[in-house]
Amino acid sequence: MTRTSPLALLDYPVEILMEIFATSGETAVSTSLCRSISEIVYRIPSLWTSIRLGPQQFTPEGCNFLQIRLARARNLPLSVSVHWHADEGDFTKAKIPKNGLWEVLAQHRLQFRSLDIDTDTSTRAALILRHLLTPVGAKFPHLHKLVICTEPAPVVPCGRVLLNQRRTYVDPAEILQDAIASNTFPSLHTLVLPLPDCLPEDLQKPLSHLQTLALDGTGFWAGIGLHFSCTIPFLWQTPHIKTFWFKSPEQESEPDRYTDFTNRLPIPLTALTSLAVTVPGIGLDLLHFLDVPSLENLHLDGSREEDDDEDGWIESYSPLVATGLEKLARHAPNLRRLALTEAHLSRTTWE
């Protein structure tokens, strides 16, 4: 079978070629064929709507390349991702690149459909948010998805990350809290946050459009109960979520310790249909306090980053999980599917 040469491709009408390249989505390959084909590809806005920023763009020339790509995307919705993992080991030296990149990107906030921030510390995530949300009160009216992923950092006061030697803090939770209070993301459907650094603790306004919430505390050892105490107030402001994913490394399950939240329990999540939590631990404790009449799918995840604890499952975890399921059953009459993964169960303990 012979491969089609660039010359043969150019025999097709331009409209047909535009349809072919728009379907392929391969801008790098297409623009490397020849100049004539490159000019056609540059005229297809849908091929330029994925904006990925990383070390290659944190250069003096990066701003110009970003402007060119945004111009090619025209007015179409944008999917923006930022990957910022600094080489230096000192997390206190979080210097944001200053080459006009963020200002140019912020000018296109009306086109943002999704924003994915992947950094090595919550401080850097906060800096990116702060630049994109400048000026204060600026709206992202069409942003449907916000994802923030960070790596665990050394523990500092208040569980937050230190910005520099002058003990200045940049708190992503406060930045998000102010943004939500200002209705910055009026159409937000999906929110993915790391626990506990990026989770707003005192929302004054509900996220009425939010349908999917994922809280990932993997690797963040924040002290017993902190993940729970951050999560409960937040869940009260997400009344319409349909999917909730919660992961915490804490393995102690003590639902009786949450007496401070008695007046705020159970949490009514009447639209929730799918729930995934880590067990045992804080995720299991949540099962005691959720009112989920529409819940159909439940996933209990027993996996941990460290070695599996077979003895723990056989000796104590199984009864704890059973108790949690009994509590949940009272508030989840429509539960249809249950999955328990990464657990060690003998027949006697399971029965």
Side-chain angles (χ1 to χ4, degrees):
M1 179 177 180
T2 59
R3 298 181 61 182
T4 303
S5 68
L7 185 59
L9 281 174
L10 292 176
D11 292 336
Y12 290 95
V14 172
E15 293 78 8
I16 299 298
L17 289 176
M18 292 181 71
E19 289 289 335
I20 293 173
F21 292 127
T23 303
S24 71
E26 295 291 339
T27 56
V29 175
S30 302
T31 55
S32 65
L33 293 176
C34 71
R35 181 177 179 179
S36 297
I37 289 180
S38 296
E39 292 177 352
I40 294 173
V41 172
Y42 293 151
R43 293 164 54 188
I44 306 174
S46 62
L47 291 178
W48 306 97
T49 56
S50 294
I51 308 297
R52 299 180 179 88
L53 302 183
Q56 292 180 337
Q57 287 73 40
F58 300 154
T59 62
E61 300 81 14
C63 186
N64 292 332
F65 284 111
L66 176 61
Q67 289 176 316
I68 293 172
R69 189 174 186 100
L70 289 169
R72 290 173 182 165
R74 300 182 187 175
N75 295 320
L76 292 183
L78 301 175
S79 298
V80 180
S81 62
V82 182
H83 181 83
W84 185 15
H85 288 244
D87 294 332
E88 69 271 14
D90 186 357
F91 75 98
T92 64
K93 298 177 181 179
K95 296 182 180 180
I96 193 165
K98 295 182 179 180
N99 61 349
L101 200 70
W102 313 108
E103 291 77 6
V104 169
L105 193 58
Q107 292 173 6
H108 293 262
R109 61 174 62 90
L110 297 181
Q111 295 173 247
F112 276 45
R113 181 63 57 88
S114 67
L115 174 59
D116 190 333
I117 299 174
D118 180 7
T119 66
D120 49 356
T121 70
S122 58
T123 291
R124 292 191 173 96
L127 289 170
I128 293 170
L129 281 172
R130 188 169 67 181
H131 279 264
L132 291 178
L133 296 177
T134 302
V136 176
K139 306 294 185 183
F140 289 74
H142 305 297
L143 185 71
H144 289 174
K145 184 178 181 180
L146 174 60
V147 178
I148 300 178
C149 297
T150 64
E151 296 177 359
V155 177
V156 295
C158 302
R160 305 304 182 193
V161 178
L162 188 63
L163 174 59
N164 56 38
Q165 301 293 350
R166 293 177 297 174
R167 303 186 66 81
T168 301
Y169 294 93
V170 180
D171 190 342
E174 290 185 1
I175 293 175
L176 278 176
Q177 185 164 297
D178 293 342
I180 293 171
S182 303
N183 199 29
T184 301
F185 314 118
S187 302
L188 192 64
H189 290 175
T190 300
L191 180 61
V192 180
L193 296 175
L195 283 172
D197 284 346
C198 292
L199 188 64
E201 298 180 13
D202 188 24
L203 287 183
Q204 301 299 319
K205 187 173 184 178
L207 289 163
S208 56
H209 294 282
L210 197 67
Q211 296 183 7
T212 299
L213 174 64
L215 303 178
D216 187 2
T218 306
F220 292 81
W221 289 93
I224 298 299
L226 180 56
H227 289 172
F228 188 93
S229 62
C230 293
T231 302
I232 292 299
F234 193 81
L235 286 178
W236 271 97
Q237 302 296 343
T238 59
H240 304 302
I241 58 173
K242 297 180 179 180
T243 301
F244 179 35
W245 190 91
F246 180 90
K247 192 156 188 171
S248 170
E250 299 179 10
Q251 292 181 305
E252 294 188 20
S253 288
E254 298 180 14
D256 295 336
R257 64 186 168 190
Y258 307 117
T259 55
D260 293 343
F261 298 98
T262 303
N263 62 334
R264 306 191 71 177
L265 301 172
I267 306 168
L269 300 177
T270 56
L272 192 71
T273 58
S274 297
L275 173 64
V277 298
T278 46
V279 295
I282 309 302
L284 180 60
D285 293 344
L286 281 172
L287 299 186
H288 293 249
F289 308 120
L290 298 181
D291 184 11
V292 284
S294 301
L295 185 66
E296 297 181 358
N297 308 296
L298 175 61
H299 177 201
L300 305 181
D301 180 8
S303 63
R304 292 294 190 275
E305 291 186 350
E306 64 273 10
D307 294 336
D308 293 335
D309 188 358
E310 181 175 356
D311 293 337
W313 275 102
I314 294 175
E315 295 174 4
S316 60
Y317 296 168
S318 296
L320 291 173
V321 172
T323 301
L325 287 173
E326 290 176 1
K327 293 285 187 179
L328 180 68
R330 302 172 187 175
H331 301 282
N334 291 305
L335 184 63
R336 296 292 181 268
R337 288 168 287 276
L338 168 65
L340 175 61
T341 58
E342 299 295 329
H344 294 278
L345 302 174
S346 64
R347 178 167 182 171
T348 55
T349 54
W350 176 243
E351 290 176 347

